[in-house]
Amino acid sequence: MPEALHELSAPALVELYRRREVSPVDVARSVLGHVERWEHHLHALFLLRPEQVLEQARASEARWLKGQPLGPIDGVPVTLKDNIATRGDPTPLGTAATELVPATADAPPAARMRESGGVLLAKTTMPDYGMLSSGLSSYHALARNPWDRSRTPGGSSSGAGAAAAAGYGPLHVGTDIGGSLRLPAGWCGIFTLKPSLGRIPIDPPYTGRAAGPMTRTVADSALFMEVLSRPDDRDSMSLPPQQIAWSTFECGPERLRGLRIGLLLEAGCGLAVEPEVRAAVEHAARLFERAGAVVAPMKPFMTQGMLDGMDYFWRMRSHVDMRALPAEVKARVLPYIQKWADSAAGLTGEATFRASHQFHLTRVAAVNACRAFDYVISPVSPVPAFPAELPSPTNDPLRPLEHIGFTVPFNMSEQPAASINCGYTSTGLPIGLQIAGKRFDDLGVLQVSRAFEQIREAQRPWPQPPSEAMAHVD
């Protein structure tokens, strides 16, 4: 049975456009119809405007008929996370406390997408200020995981993870400062690359913050990197422009032969790794070994003090930001986030400095631990997707980050790190494998991810919208 148009990869769609066998308008209609069947169950999107989608698709169709596409994703449906500004649209940052003022310009990822002819399907939902690893928001409806709608899609790129898994077209953009690309990717069974800091320009830039592609396949992310990594001088931390042949990500399992792979099974802080997660990652390690890689165990390099320090610093940052809000505006923020930020009220200047120093210590520890290896594999999260209504796995604002011990160090060390599905729990929830490389080796991480994509077991079919007769009220 041929795949529906909304299920096709970006490279496949572009080839069909080139051969004039399919129109971007056909694809837009297919995606919109699929969204209509799914979205009231998932709440992945906001600013969904079908007429504007079709208008963009018609313009792309005209360009393809003239043989003049704007770029490598012309006519391909794209979603952008709420916090990536799009000109003329509000940027609520997931919270009811934000004043809804239209953005005056596209943020860099949005600008690159438009310059290449991508069709903006919608923006995607996120939690308040991006400070949760769930889809709980005071502004957006509660986002849910397509694999099990009682579970979270993760966060803070909540809607993007759900949209990719649900088949809302092939290309999605999220952001990540401690795991916000990789956690939803892991829990939704999709692929993502958190690139080296500065590889994809972003505005506003911030220590550890990165934008990245969220897709079903490595090929889709590689194609999207060609677009998103183009320079933009608004990012003061962006890398110098570099010609990277993203198309050379394609490789076979032989790419793994002889590689030195570090296997990190304990984060050194936070929650213990659940047995099913550990088993899936250990199985992935054996697949690497069978392909000729040399896999060696790693000792944990994170400490609880490092994780707590980053947590305390982020609490103080949010406390300062929210203290500037009028009381009636602050009251609109999720109570969990308010309690978390207010807990920093008693921190002294010295305590805040010591907390901030943990970012540097984390960076040094990560680089030193990875030095002996070409790549490092680990769980993305110690736990599978948790109940959708919870703000975090612990549901405790004083222990909010206990699940990011594997992901956050690679934000601070600026290393590229991907998430790719490596198995399922007994209840059918995806389990993410993190593949991290040395700083600047984004292409290598894509290549190793592509090789693993070929040696892992066959994947389960993507979730489909429930029939109306079977659907329950979410």
Side-chain angles (χ1 to χ4, degrees):
M1 181 177 177
E3 288 184 280
L5 292 179
H6 63 263
E7 299 276 355
L8 295 178
S9 70
L13 289 175
V14 169
E15 182 59 27
L16 289 172
Y17 298 159
R18 184 175 289 113
R19 298 203 305 251
R20 298 189 182 183
E21 295 180 14
V22 166
S23 159
V25 176
D26 299 329
V27 174
R29 287 178 175 147
S30 177
V31 172
L32 288 169
H34 188 63
V35 167
E36 186 175 0
R37 293 186 290 274
W38 246 135
E39 180 56 14
H40 62 287
H41 299 292
L42 300 180
H43 307 134
L45 305 180
F46 88 113
L47 295 182
L48 174 64
R49 296 166 292 203
E51 282 308 312
Q52 290 190 21
V53 175
L54 291 171
E55 182 181 347
Q56 295 173 75
R58 285 190 284 267
S60 175
E61 179 184 60
R63 292 192 293 270
W64 279 107
L65 288 173
K66 293 177 183 177
Q68 299 175 345
L70 289 176
I73 61 166
D74 201 330
V76 178
V78 177
T79 72
L80 299 171
K81 189 176 176 181
D82 164 343
N83 64 350
I84 297 172
T86 47
R87 183 168 55 85
D89 297 324
T91 310
L93 307 178
T95 179
T98 300
E99 185 180 357
L100 299 180
V101 178
T104 58
D106 286 332
R112 301 295 87 76
M113 180 273 299
R114 291 198 210 271
E115 292 163 4
S116 294
V119 173
L120 179 59
L121 173 69
K123 305 292 284 292
T124 50
T125 56
M126 63 181 280
D128 289 52
Y129 302 114
M131 293 311 299
L132 296 177
S133 297
S134 80
L136 186 63
S137 165
S138 62
Y139 181 81
H140 301 297
L142 178 64
R144 295 181 179 274
N145 193 317
W147 292 91
D148 179 344
R149 299 193 311 279
S150 73
R151 300 280 157 168
T152 184
S156 64
S157 302
S158 315
Y168 289 11
L171 302 180
H172 311 269
V173 182
T175 63
D176 187 317
I177 199 170
S180 289
L181 285 163
R182 288 156 290 161
L183 291 164
W187 289 329
C188 289
I190 63 168
F191 178 78
T192 192
L193 173 69
K194 181 209 74 66
S196 300
L197 183 72
R199 179 69 71 202
I200 295 176
I202 194 168
D203 184 35
Y206 192 83
T207 301
R209 185 175 186 233
M214 301 180 75
T215 63
R216 286 183 168 185
T217 69
V218 180
D220 280 319
S221 283
L223 177 65
F224 212 6
M225 286 298 294
E226 182 180 338
V227 172
L228 296 173
S229 63
R230 291 173 185 165
D232 194 303
D233 59 13
R234 288 176 287 176
D235 186 344
S236 58
M237 292 187 282
S238 63
L239 297 176
Q242 184 179 1
Q243 290 297 321
I244 296 175
W246 298 107
S247 60
T248 62
F249 85 97
E250 185 60 64
C251 60
E254 66 278 1
R255 175 68 172 80
L256 304 178
R257 195 169 300 130
L259 289 181
R260 298 165 300 166
I261 305 289
L263 174 60
L264 183 66
L265 289 171
E266 299 293 340
C269 58
L271 297 173
V273 177
E274 291 196 4
E276 286 186 307
V277 174
R278 185 184 184 99
V281 173
E282 288 177 329
H283 178 68
R286 289 192 291 273
L287 294 179
F288 275 95
E289 287 182 319
R290 290 174 196 166
V294 178
V295 179
M298 290 178 65
K299 294 180 180 179
F301 58 86
M302 284 284 288
T303 67
Q304 192 65 41
M306 292 174 184
L307 185 63
D308 289 344
M310 290 185 280
D311 178 18
Y312 296 156
F313 182 83
W314 282 329
R315 291 187 204 202
M316 179 57 81
R317 184 190 69 173
S318 295
H319 174 65
V320 171
D321 288 344
M322 280 193 260
R323 192 172 56 187
L325 297 175
E328 68 276 11
V329 175
K330 180 185 174 184
R332 300 174 197 158
V333 178
L334 280 177
Y336 183 97
I337 296 291
Q338 291 185 51
K339 292 176 184 176
W340 172 74
D342 288 347
S343 69
L347 282 181
T348 64
E350 179 180 345
T352 302
F353 166 76
R354 292 186 182 279
S356 70
H357 187 53
Q358 299 304 315
F359 289 94
H360 174 70
L361 295 181
T362 299
R363 174 192 182 96
V364 171
V367 171
N368 287 340
C370 296
R371 185 173 288 118
F373 304 102
D374 298 308
Y375 300 93
V376 169
I377 60 174
S378 74
V380 169
S381 165
V383 299
F386 52 93
E389 294 80 7
L390 297 183
S392 71
T394 61
N395 195 26
D396 182 352
L398 301 184
R399 294 178 58 237
L401 305 182
E402 299 294 290
H403 56 292
I404 70 170
F406 290 107
T407 51
V408 70
F410 298 114
N411 294 83
M412 301 313 136
S413 66
E414 305 183 16
Q415 295 171 247
S419 173
I420 189 167
N421 193 58
C422 68
Y424 304 87
T425 68
S426 59
T427 58
L429 294 173
I431 297 171
L433 175 75
Q434 181 171 244
I435 302 174
K438 295 185 185 297
R439 192 176 175 211
F440 310 132
D441 189 21
D442 305 75
L443 183 59
V445 171
L446 284 173
Q447 290 171 335
V448 171
S449 298
R450 173 56 182 150
F452 180 74
E453 194 175 43
Q454 295 171 77
I455 64 174
R456 68 183 178 180
E457 283 78 7
Q459 299 295 283
R460 299 184 183 183
W462 292 103
Q464 296 297 322
S467 65
E468 291 306 312
M470 297 294 292
H472 64 268
V473 178
D474 292 325

